[in-house]
Amino acid sequence: MTTLVGFPDRPVRVNAELDAPLSRWLWLVKWILVIPHYVVLFLLWIAFAVVSVIAFFSILFTERYPRTLFDFNLGVLRWSWRVAYYSYGALATDRYPPFSLRAEPDYPARLDIAYPERLSRGLVLVKWWLLAVPHLIVVGFFLGGYHLGWWSGGLVALLTVIAGVTMAFTEKYPKDLFDLILGLNRWVLRVAAYVALMTDSYPPFRLDLGGTEPADAEELS
């Protein structure tokens, strides 16, 4: 079981390391390289939705998210995060993501969500749609609500493309830009865990920058 000793209010942890060196041009073809992952993830996200519905009724009647179902949905989120980190959610590694639902601690992008022993029956009725609305508006801007002329992608994709162009000309990934992109992705993943009923802890309206989760940074200090 995943436990967050000393940080019970921070059940979602997103950590990542910026790989170096990175290819100057590989990012231009990563959309092709990740097609096999997109095909598998399409099917996994259908299963994710079905599992979430089952978990909804389980929480409503028993206050518990079945551990097997929780681990599966966590695996889908981990897989998705690794693919995003490799491709146009960050472009911060050239290590091809594994086809795996496991934690994969050696991969530079990691996600952990503490398993909840009990979840609120009342919150399960409203948190995934009503309570999450303010965050969903923000996340929509991050992932697909930014428009600039011909550009119709989200802020994360825009910043990631800027990082790719910068690497092409300078061979360096700007550290400040990496920190910002990780902060935006961390916000998205926290909201995803909340909407998926995997935690009752309301996501903070806070942009925690950098590759290291603040909780982990405090533990190391």
Side-chain angles (χ1 to χ4, degrees), residues 93-155:
T93 183
D94 288 339
R95 294 175 54 188
Y96 197 71
F99 287 81
S100 170
L101 294 169
R102 298 189 300 272
E104 303 296 341
D106 293 333
Y107 198 76
R110 297 176 299 280
L111 168 66
D112 291 297
I113 304 174
Y115 177 72
E117 293 294 341
R118 289 287 186 276
L119 290 166
S120 169
R121 292 175 175 173
L123 283 177
V124 78
L125 295 170
V126 294
K127 67 182 182 182
W128 56 277
W129 64 281
L130 180 60
L131 300 182
V133 165
H135 276 291
L136 294 176
I137 294 172
V138 175
V139 167
F141 175 72
F142 291 169
L143 297 182
Y146 190 86
H147 300 275
L148 181 61
W150 55 270
W151 182 266
S152 60
L155 180 60

Side-chain angles (χ1 to χ4, degrees), residues 12 77 111 113 127 188-199:
V12 182
L77 289 175
L111 168 66
I113 304 174
K127 67 182 182 182
V188 170
L189 289 165
R190 287 170 176 170
V191 174
Y194 185 76
V195 172
L197 312 177
M198 302 175 79
T199 177

Side-chain angles (χ1 to χ4, degrees), residues 10-220:
R10 300 176 185 177
V12 182
R13 284 182 173 178
V14 180
N15 290 297
E17 290 94 34
L18 176 60
D19 274 351
L22 292 168
S23 169
R24 295 174 64 181
W25 304 109
L26 183 63
W27 65 275
L28 291 171
V29 298
K30 284 184 175 180
W31 66 274
I32 298 175
L33 300 179
V34 295
I35 287 176
H37 279 285
Y38 289 157
V39 172
V40 177
L41 283 172
F42 174 78
L43 299 175
L44 286 176
W45 274 97
I46 293 175
F48 184 98
V50 173
V51 166
S52 296
V53 171
I54 297 172
F56 170 88
F57 287 104
S58 178
I59 297 167
L60 185 62
F61 292 109
T62 71
E63 298 184 332
R64 294 181 64 86
Y65 198 126
R67 184 60 189 264
T68 302
L69 302 185
F70 182 92
D71 288 343
F72 174 81
N73 274 4
L74 174 55
V76 176
L77 289 175
R78 282 172 169 162
W79 192 326
S80 301
W81 169 224
R82 289 192 292 261
V83 172
Y85 192 74
Y86 172 79
S87 59
Y88 303 99
L91 291 175
T93 183
D94 288 339
R95 294 175 54 188
Y96 197 71
F99 287 81
S100 170
L101 294 169
R102 298 189 300 272
E104 303 296 341
D106 293 333
Y107 198 76
R110 297 176 299 280
L111 168 66
D112 291 297
I113 304 174
Y115 177 72
E117 293 294 341
R118 289 287 186 276
L119 290 166
S120 169
R121 292 175 175 173
L123 283 177
V124 78
L125 295 170
V126 294
K127 67 182 182 182
W128 56 277
W129 64 281
L130 180 60
L131 300 182
V133 165
H135 276 291
L136 294 176
I137 294 172
V138 175
V139 167
F141 175 72
F142 291 169
L143 297 182
Y146 190 86
H147 300 275
L148 181 61
W150 55 270
W151 182 266
S152 60
L155 180 60
V156 171
L158 176 62
L159 295 176
T160 300
V161 170
I162 292 173
V165 173
T166 302
M167 284 191 294
F169 287 99
T170 69
E171 300 186 51
K172 294 182 180 179
Y173 196 124
K175 182 61 166 58
D176 291 343
L177 188 54
F178 171 79
D179 290 344
L180 175 57
I181 290 171
L182 258 292
L184 297 174
N185 277 296
R186 182 173 287 115
W187 194 319
V188 170
L189 289 165
R190 287 170 176 170
V191 174
Y194 185 76
V195 172
L197 312 177
M198 302 175 79
T199 177
D200 281 344
S201 295
Y202 197 70
F205 282 90
R206 185 177 67 240
L207 191 60
D208 290 324
L209 303 178
T212 303
E213 186 73 33
D216 293 340
E218 292 177 34
E219 286 179 334
L220 293 173

